[in-house]
Amino acid sequence: MCRKAAWAELTARVTSVVDVQSKMRGFYIIISYVQKQSCIRCRKRTGADTAFLLAHSRGLLYNYKMGILYTDVNHLRKERPRMRRIGMLTSGGDCQSLNATMRGVAKSLYNMFDDVEIVGFEEGYKGLMYADYQILKPSDFSGILTRGGTILGTSRQPFKLMREPDENGLDKVEAMKHTYRKLRLECLVILGGNGSQKTANLLREEGLNIVSLPKTIDNDLWGTDMTFGFESAVNVATNAIDCIHTTAASHGRVFIVEIMGHKVGWLTLHAGIAGGADIILLPEIPYDLNVVCDALKKRSAAGKKFSILAVAEGAISKEDAALSKKELKEKKKNSIYPSIAYEIGAKISEKTGQEVRVTVPGHMQRGGEPCPYDRVLSTRLGAEAAKLIRDGEYGNMVVVRDGEITKIPLSETAGKLKYVDPKSSIIEEAKLVGISFGDE
């Protein structure tokens, strides 16, 4: 094959030169094969005695000086190390410390490896399903330690619907696996709460390398003493109660502050104690409205002009707790109240005649910058996640236990919640200082 013919054949098969390197006092060009045609741009090395054209995808090597066409060229070139590709996504409800945690992972990986590339999937599992991603740079992780929310965006993808095709018939699980393998990811880092951890475990069972991190303002993930985002949310909820104190005292009213937490009451419990609430109602401790009203009357009799209730959005009365799931769902469907706090407020006012106001901080509890505690925690959790990736210890969630950062198998935590124990020491201590939980 002549030099002109070899060049023509190669230019007809490729579109871009991906690398140019010097070899054996000459030059060769590593070419990536793609379907469309284009021209080749090459950069010649001066002083080269022998010229080589290397078609990387077809294994063709033409030595112009010797007139020889080779088909096996692996022995003539040095293999470049494959770039480590790590995927990352944030799933479920947002919180203040997602960016800080991703930063902890990324900075640790960049310090550990020279050949790492981080692929960020946008809007959680949705980005993984539809291959909506971006290649992140080290600069993307600069200045985000104190920034709330998530630079990748997030969305809720219910675990119970993961096996159901989307509106176009797409198999969601297979689509996520396809994206993972198409991008040749070494590992996928998932930041999420209970539902997200269940999906993470599902992907682990499907053969993907997964490392997960415990994200939730509810602090309800089983197996970890603390989740990132919790302390920041406690700060916001506590501040809401603090602000209510002055207006409640000025007007002599009963104020109800509704705190996030559908199934678990850790956030309401901690914010309630920190904010000096007089009554705390949790999902784990069904309340008796008569007991609540008695506690309010007792405060009034003692000369207290106002009272504050910290009520979890999942708080439930003893009567409702006795209903079946179907009956409870039907009752809530037909309720005239926008939330449990308004229902409790209306009934307190009816029974006691006291003026009641309701405040709902809502999504403010997820917003704002992370508190210093969460910044430290997120950095530590992220560093440990990078260590697991380095050591190939996949299929684990990074957790906090007894003040130390460690790991537990995803299979042990997926689908499990960490509830407030009604007989725990923190409940006992709160009762000793006079806080009522509406149960006795």
Side-chain angles (χ1 to χ4, degrees), residues 278-290:
D278 306 297
I279 299 171
I280 299 175
L281 303 182
L282 309 176
E284 296 91 338
I285 306 177
Y287 65 87
D288 183 330
L289 189 64
N290 291 323

Side-chain angles (χ1 to χ4, degrees), residues 291-361:
V291 174
V292 173
C293 291
D294 287 343
L296 293 173
K297 291 175 182 177
K298 184 178 179 180
R299 279 183 56 79
S300 297
K304 308 293 185 180
K305 294 183 178 181
F306 71 94
S307 295
I308 294 178
L309 287 77
V311 176
E313 57 189 352
I316 187 170
S317 67
K318 290 184 177 181
E319 292 79 11
D320 287 351
L323 299 175
S324 66
K325 287 185 178 180
K326 184 177 180 180
E327 292 171 331
L328 183 60
K329 184 177 180 180
E330 188 65 24
K331 180 180 178 180
K332 289 182 177 180
K333 181 181 177 181
N334 298 320
S335 176
I336 62 173
Y337 305 105
S339 70
I340 187 63
Y342 287 93
E343 179 180 350
I344 293 172
K347 291 181 176 179
I348 287 175
S349 183
E350 180 184 340
K351 279 183 172 291
T352 67
Q354 291 179 285
E355 192 176 0
V356 181
R357 294 289 185 271
V358 176
T359 296
V360 184

